[in-house]
Amino acid sequence: MARDEALLDGFRAVLRRTAWRIPAATIGRFQAWSILEHPYLADIKSQHSGDQEPVGSLDPWLAPIRRITGGGAIFHGTDLTLGWAATCPSPFFPDRSPTAIAGRAASAILPAISEFHPGARTRDGEFTELAQRGVVDCFARHTPFDLVVEHEDGAIEKVGGLAMHRRGDRVLVQASIRRGEHLTEDRDRQVLEGIAAAMGAGALEIEDLDPYEEDRSIDLAHARYARHGWNRRRIPIRQPTDS
Amino acid sequence: MAEVPADRRYLSSHEWALENNGVVTVGITGHAAEELGELVFIDLPKVGTQVQAGESFGEIESVKAVSELNSPVSGKIVEINSELEGSLDTIGTSPFEGGWMIRIEASNSAEFEGLLDAKSYTEQLES
């Protein structure tokens, strides 16, 4: 997460992949820490507990970490996790509005994953973020720019989700894409190159951090992501719902 | 075109500032509120917090996007709009009145004078 935020504080249009040595859960910027007691995470852990072996001295599960982007909790470890930063407005993201940014990002991801998730499209429809605020799992939430596939029985499966953070004239998009049976790690580069090609806006770099971003990520890891004060921070003013 | 009151100043990032006896009231413009869409959460600083011109003073979440709110001037927060608690819709329905967010005791009046006036901000919206 620190490496993604370092891209936001940088100056490039750049796309990177996060590789997970051990599984982890991330929670949205405004989600309560207490949601980690939710059965969602316990279920995920129980489903995967047989898969995990300690990596060196590391716990087989990473401590949950708070993102700077919005939305719900995501289990990582078997997904393709992307971080994508650019100046906004720019040819990459011509419009500053969150819906336009998400639409642009989704439209670039879809052709890049079409081989692995045939028929993938955006969910479309109305925004109902407020009503879904209590839904813990990102993949159980419905947003018009979700990436979904429709199965033969008519069931809609969410295969990708997006969240964003806007800081000044920069934007960070984070995406989680489910792998399915075809999107193996050795195809990740193909997806990243597909996204860059679909953006069609010049040099979207596919690489990890430059020296400035590397230094910034170390600062952010120490000042933010490694601290309880960030990960367990208070939940501020919230919009009420009727429910 | 969203309303742009002539009695205040603006940041290009769509915050407005209204000065009264050295205290600057801050909110986001109608254009910004419309752009954000349905608001879900807002995080504002505590009274007494020092803020810097052009730096983030809070964050707001809508449609899975967290957007930072930028302070037009430097100084000390002397009031936050507690009425927003439970009523974030006010930011969209009354961005220039009931939707104000913070009041800052400004430490440098020149910063306020350096902000965009309504005409310049309108030109930015139209460009």
Side-chain angles (χ1 to χ4, degrees):
Chain A
M1 295 299 107
R3 298 177 79 79
D4 278 2
E5 187 174 353
L7 299 182
L8 178 66
D9 287 342
F11 306 95
R12 304 183 297 158
V14 60
L15 173 65
R16 68 176 293 273
R17 179 190 75 126
T18 294
W20 302 89
R21 284 195 297 163
I22 50 181
T26 61
I27 61 175
R29 163 65 183 83
F30 284 109
Q31 282 192 294
W33 183 255
S34 59
I35 64 106
L36 294 170
E37 305 299 321
H38 191 276
Y40 163 68
L41 193 62
D43 288 349
I44 289 285
K45 282 192 172 186
S46 66
Q47 287 170 26
H48 293 270
S49 59
D51 305 341
Q52 309 311 324
E53 294 181 5
V55 179
S57 61
L58 296 175
D59 188 277
W61 292 86
L62 280 179
I65 196 163
R66 186 178 299 281
R67 303 188 306 269
I68 59 168
T69 52
I74 301 176
F75 166 70
H76 299 282
T78 59
D79 67 331
L80 169 54
T81 310
L82 301 174
W84 182 353
T87 297
C88 179
S90 73
F92 295 100
F93 295 107
D95 189 321
R96 285 188 81 250
S97 77
T99 51
I101 293 167
R104 174 92 166 129
S107 69
I109 294 172
L110 282 173
I113 64 169
S114 61
E115 179 182 340
F116 312 107
H117 292 295
R121 59 173 174 81
T122 50
R123 186 188 299 273
D124 301 328
E126 298 293 316
F127 285 97
T128 56
E129 287 299 303
L130 198 54
Q132 296 183 81
R133 193 184 53 202
V135 178
V136 170
D137 176 9
C138 165
F139 279 86
R141 295 186 179 199
H142 293 183
T143 301
F145 45 76
D146 287 342
L147 309 176
V148 299
V149 293
E150 185 169 354
H151 295 291
E152 288 181 359
D153 62 0
I156 302 290
E157 180 191 5
K158 182 173 177 177
V159 297
L162 303 170
M164 296 154 280
H165 188 106
R166 301 190 310 169
R167 173 178 296 162
D169 65 352
R170 299 279 291 173
V171 62
L172 171 68
V173 178
Q174 291 179 317
S176 173
I177 299 167
R178 286 190 164 162
R179 291 194 176 278
E181 59 182 300
H182 303 296
L183 180 52
T184 49
E185 285 193 25
D186 59 335
R187 311 299 292 275
D188 286 353
R189 180 79 188 183
Q190 179 183 335
V191 173
L192 268 65
E193 289 176 349
I195 292 171
M199 289 298 280
L204 175 65
E205 298 180 50
I206 302 171
E207 58 182 65
D208 219 339
L209 282 57
D210 67 18
Y212 167 80
E213 294 158 351
E214 192 74 50
D215 287 346
R216 178 68 180 143
S217 74
I218 293 168
D219 290 344
L220 287 165
H222 285 106
R224 190 196 291 281
Y225 295 99
R227 291 181 177 273
H228 284 331
W230 166 256
N231 289 312
R232 305 188 181 201
R233 69 186 302 178
R234 71 191 175 89
I235 297 304
I237 296 171
R238 62 180 56 196
Q239 177 78 310
T241 61
D242 296 332
S243 58
Chain B
M1 169 64 72
E3 176 193 16
V4 181
D7 62 349
R8 55 200 81 194
R9 299 293 180 98
Y10 299 87
L11 280 175
S12 59
S13 51
H14 307 289
E15 289 84 2
W16 57 260
L18 181 63
E19 194 270 343
N20 184 19
N21 291 328
V23 174
V24 176
T25 303
V26 179
I28 62 171
T29 66
H31 172 85
E34 189 174 314
E35 187 180 64
L36 286 170
E38 187 178 54
L39 303 178
V40 185
F41 290 105
I42 189 170
D43 188 15
L44 296 175
K46 293 177 180 173
V47 169
T49 302
Q50 294 286 336
V51 294
Q52 296 297 317
E55 300 284 316
S56 170
F57 70 80
E59 295 176 328
I60 194 162
E61 178 169 341
S62 64
V63 294
K64 299 176 84 170
V66 173
S67 300
E68 297 188 10
L69 303 163
N70 297 316
S71 180
V73 296
S74 303
K76 184 173 75 175
I77 307 278
V78 292
E79 189 176 357
I80 70 164
N81 186 357
S82 57
E83 297 295 315
L84 291 179
E85 185 164 8
S87 181
L88 285 182
D89 288 344
T90 308
I91 294 170
T93 58
S94 179
F96 294 104
E97 299 297 336
W100 70 273
M101 295 174 177
I102 58 171
R103 291 201 167 104
I104 304 168
E105 189 174 76
S107 58
N108 181 355
S109 60
E111 288 175 343
F112 180 83
E113 297 304 323
L115 299 170
L116 298 173
D117 60 19
K119 181 172 179 290
S120 300
Y121 178 67
T122 301
E123 287 172 356
Q124 174 188 307
L125 292 180
E126 292 172 344
S127 65

